[in-house]
Amino acid sequence: EVQLVESGGGSVQVGDSLRLSCTASGFSFSSHYMGWVRQAPGKERDTVASIDDSDGTTNYADSVKGRFTISLDNAKKTLYLQMNRLEPEDTAMYHCAAKPQSWYPAYPYWGQGIQVTVSS
């Protein structure tokens, strides 16, 4: 059974930092394309960052470039999202997601999500 479990969220102030973690099990972590997807109330899902471990390629939404960093630890089967200089607009539920290849149109595997709230 595929499982993705997020941790590290919370309530912070503008300018603060948080690191989200996502521990994976039930699939070949290192051969999958991993991402962080967020959804705020009333808004569409937004892929904020993704990583292809096969070549180290990372991608970021324009809104988080220079502030967020995605990384992974294959030995620990854990995906991370370092979020710096947080803004109120970053407030959302953050989900870890995985798909077998980068070209898959959607992520078939999702974590339950973790809340990040940024207050001014």
Side-chain angles (χ1 to χ4, degrees):
E1 179 188 4
V2 173
Q3 283 194 324
L4 298 169
V5 180
E6 301 94 339
S7 61
S11 297
V12 296
Q13 300 294 312
V14 169
D16 284 351
S17 297
L18 278 175
R19 188 176 79 157
L20 303 183
S21 299
C22 170
T23 302
S25 62
F27 67 103
S28 179
F29 180 78
S30 61
S31 67
H32 277 63
Y33 190 85
M34 305 293 296
W36 288 97
V37 181
R38 70 185 181 188
Q39 187 165 22
K43 295 187 178 181
E44 294 186 356
R45 285 177 176 173
D46 180 24
T47 300
V48 295
S50 58
I51 184 167
D52 186 338
D53 191 44
S54 67
D55 61 7
T57 301
T58 57
N59 288 286
Y60 297 94
D62 288 342
S63 58
V64 307
K65 280 182 181 176
R67 300 189 297 121
F68 290 11
T69 303
I70 189 170
S71 62
L72 54 79
D73 184 329
N74 279 312
K76 296 182 178 179
K77 299 188 76 172
T78 300
L79 180 74
Y80 301 100
L81 185 68
Q82 178 67 43
M83 305 186 293
N84 298 328
R85 303 196 310 275
L86 283 161
E87 303 169 353
E89 292 74 23
D90 297 318
T91 295
M93 183 72 76
Y94 284 72
H95 298 266
C96 169
K99 54 185 178 179
Q101 300 288 343
S102 61
W103 49 263
Y104 265 56
Y107 288 97
Y109 308 126
W110 290 80
Q112 82 285 354
I114 195 158
Q115 181 67 36
V116 172
T117 302
V118 185
S119 302
S120 57

